[in-house]
Amino acid sequence: MQIREESSIPDKRVQIIEISTDLFLQNGFSGTSMSKIAAACGMTKASLYHHFAGKEDLFVACVTHGYSAALVALRDIAGQPDLRPEDKFCAALNALYDTTIISPVGRMSPLIAEVSRTFPTVARSFHSEYIAPQQALLWEIIQEGVQSGAFRDADERQIFHLIFGPMVTLSLSREMFASFHDLDTHFPVDQLRDGHVDAILGMLRVTANG
Amino acid sequence: MQIREESSIPDKRVQIIEISTDLFLQNGFSGTSMSKIAAACGMTKASLYHHFAGKEDLFVACVTHGYSAALVALRDIAGQPDLRPEDKFCAALNALYDTTIISPVGRMSPLIAEVSRTFPTVARSFHSEYIAPQQALLWEIIQEGVQSGAFRDADERQIFHLIFGPMVTLSLSREMFASFHDLDTHFPVDQLRDGHVDAILGMLRVTANG
DNA sequence: GTCTATACAGTGATAGAC
DNA sequence: GTCTATCACTGTATAGAC
């Protein structure tokens, strides 16, 4: 007996989505043809078009498919009742680094920038269904810290600028310079992340003279 | 009598480069065909191919064309002898924001990410001829501050992560969500930049208890 | 659902006359 | 340097048999 996800997506659709997500990430949107996707899925183009109305439709499916998975981790952390606000915030930042740099959705930012001119719908959906909920959850966690007296009050957009900026750029850089043999020397994720989290905490913590 | 730039690039080449840069920024690399470029330049494809060996060649020319212009401002600031280190640093960050968000080179990051898999040469050139010199100049300015006692010593990669991260992401976001009618409300450049510069200064300044 | 076969527009690029 | 004409190819997408 197969266990189904709550969303009733046929298995074959999911399979196609995961394979084509890999191809999109490797070769970009325009660099990935429906022929290549069909071949990688072990079927013909005509069969592929039976499952998805077109290339845009397939791409949107790839992007949206990752939303829930990427938000789950953050939701779990936000829901922990026994974590101190500062620890919860750190856990949230680490989770965000993971999704931004490792998970397909996070790594898809350059792709979405690529297609956003042709398909503005993709960008709108990406923002309203992924970016906005992510920021809402993080803001909730920050506000808990403010109310408990651990964090100072900060401007929302400003703090997001400083939090998401480095991690998104790190993801972009690693995609952009993926051909570098010394990628991890130029862009050491763990080290940069830890320093970044420390810096943000230093800014948010209530100091004696604050 | 025509005044020539020091680089002896024919005027027509420059004209083509500037027109096609606009098109690349508007429609991406794959979304911009040689036919469209030729038409926008008021010539045929064959004539266009007389000036550039191919599409990749033209794209590389577009990217490299912006290098010098974008680095000039930073070089000027670094060369000012009568500026206090902290003021020089602020001026440099403001100049970097301008080039990253306004100038074509800065806005081309998503494009370079798009083509980097197909043409790794582009990414390498972008890094060695633009990113690296930019960071070298900025690091020089920071070191002046350290030697004068105004700044504390900081890890190079770490501080670049925090400096370039937000401004590159802001540029990427503005390209990605260019279709938003309230773009400047979501991503107010001046405000985010000022807050960011303040935050970086707060981290670099030597404090009493440091 | 999957296949073969195909339509048809568009791509990057070239040959050769002027 | 610019043109017309054309190349070989790939792109997305569809029709219709099985």
Side-chain angles (χ1 to χ4, degrees):
Chain A
M1 192 172 101
Q2 300 267 339
I3 308 268
R4 270 284 168 75
E5 303 285 322
E6 56 177 329
S7 57
S8 61
I9 303 174
D11 293 351
K12 186 141 263 172
R13 250 183 90 97
V14 173
Q15 194 186 340
I16 295 173
I17 285 174
E18 286 171 354
I19 290 175
S20 47
T21 296
D22 280 351
L23 290 177
F24 281 135
L25 283 174
Q26 274 176 33
N27 309 319
F29 179 78
S30 303
T32 307
S33 67
M34 294 297 267
S35 311
K36 283 182 196 165
I37 294 173
C41 294
M43 58 177 63
T44 60
K45 268 190 295 183
S47 302
L48 181 57
Y49 273 94
H50 174 78
H51 294 280
F52 294 92
K55 195 181 180 182
E56 181 193 355
D57 183 40
L58 173 55
F59 182 74
V60 171
C62 289
V63 177
T64 47
H65 179 66
Y67 288 161
S68 49
L71 286 173
V72 160
L74 196 57
R75 251 190 267 276
D76 280 354
I77 292 169
Q80 298 269 357
D82 51 347
L83 269 181
R84 286 173 40 227
E86 185 167 315
D87 293 335
K88 189 184 276 194
F89 179 71
C90 284
L93 285 201
N94 285 325
L96 283 174
Y97 258 91
D98 283 347
T99 55
T100 304
I101 289 171
I102 298 171
S103 87
V105 214
R107 294 171 54 207
M108 274 192 165
S109 297
L111 285 182
I112 293 166
E114 180 189 348
V115 302
S116 63
R117 290 306 205 304
T118 323
F119 309 117
T121 316
V122 178
R124 294 211 83 90
S125 148
F126 183 68
H127 189 273
S128 66
E129 297 185 42
Y130 180 60
I131 303 290
Q134 207 176 42
Q135 294 191 345
L137 281 168
L138 187 61
W139 186 241
E140 198 179 291
I141 293 173
I142 293 175
Q143 287 309 305
E144 280 181 38
V146 172
Q147 268 147 32
S148 79
F151 291 161
R152 72 175 64 182
D153 208 6
D155 179 70
E156 186 174 358
R157 258 188 263 277
Q158 195 69 50
I159 195 77
F160 287 159
H161 183 52
L162 301 178
I163 289 177
F164 289 98
M167 63 176 83
V168 172
T169 297
L170 181 56
S171 175
L172 174 70
S173 302
R174 289 178 63 91
E175 298 297 319
M176 189 188 259
F177 303 122
S179 63
F180 284 22
H181 68 280
D182 51 354
L183 183 69
D184 285 317
T185 310
H186 273 85
F187 307 102
V189 178
D190 292 351
Q191 180 190 331
L192 293 176
R193 180 199 57 208
D194 292 346
H196 182 202
V197 172
D198 282 349
I200 296 291
L201 277 179
M203 286 173 14
L204 274 181
R205 273 199 202 101
V206 173
T207 52
N209 53 333
Chain B
M1 193 171 105
Q2 299 265 342
I3 308 266
R4 271 287 167 74
E5 303 284 323
E6 56 177 329
S7 57
S8 61
I9 304 174
D11 292 351
K12 187 141 262 173
R13 250 183 89 98
V14 173
Q15 194 185 340
I16 295 173
I17 284 174
E18 285 170 356
I19 290 175
S20 48
T21 296
D22 279 350
L23 290 177
F24 281 135
L25 282 175
Q26 273 176 32
N27 308 319
F29 180 77
S30 303
T32 306
S33 68
M34 294 297 269
S35 311
K36 282 182 195 165
I37 294 173
C41 294
M43 58 176 64
T44 60
K45 264 194 297 184
S47 302
L48 181 57
Y49 273 94
H50 174 78
H51 295 279
F52 295 92
K55 195 182 180 182
E56 181 192 355
D57 183 40
L58 173 55
F59 182 75
V60 171
C62 289
V63 178
T64 47
H65 178 65
Y67 290 160
S68 49
L71 286 174
V72 159
L74 197 57
R75 252 190 266 275
D76 280 353
I77 292 168
Q80 297 269 356
D82 51 347
L83 269 182
R84 286 173 39 226
E86 186 167 314
D87 292 335
K88 190 185 275 195
F89 179 71
C90 283
L93 285 200
N94 286 325
L96 284 174
Y97 258 92
D98 283 347
T99 55
T100 305
I101 289 171
I102 298 171
S103 88
V105 214
R107 294 171 53 207
M108 274 192 164
S109 296
L111 285 182
I112 294 166
E114 180 189 348
V115 303
S116 62
R117 290 307 205 303
T118 322
F119 309 118
T121 316
V122 178
R124 295 212 84 90
S125 147
F126 183 68
H127 189 273
S128 66
E129 297 186 42
Y130 180 60
I131 303 289
Q134 208 176 42
Q135 294 190 346
L137 281 167
L138 187 61
W139 187 241
E140 199 180 291
I141 294 173
I142 293 174
Q143 287 309 305
E144 281 181 36
V146 172
Q147 268 146 33
S148 79
F151 290 162
R152 72 175 65 183
D153 208 4
D155 179 70
E156 187 173 357
R157 257 188 263 278
Q158 195 69 50
I159 195 75
F160 286 160
H161 184 52
L162 301 178
I163 289 177
F164 289 99
M167 64 176 81
V168 171
T169 297
L170 182 56
S171 176
L172 174 70
S173 302
R174 289 179 63 91
E175 298 298 318
M176 190 188 259
F177 303 122
S179 62
F180 283 22
H181 68 279
D182 51 355
L183 183 69
D184 285 317
T185 310
H186 273 87
F187 307 102
V189 178
D190 293 350
Q191 181 190 330
L192 294 176
R193 180 198 56 209
D194 293 346
H196 182 202
V197 173
D198 282 350
I200 296 291
L201 277 179
M203 287 173 13
L204 275 181
R205 273 199 202 102
V206 174
T207 52
N209 56 331

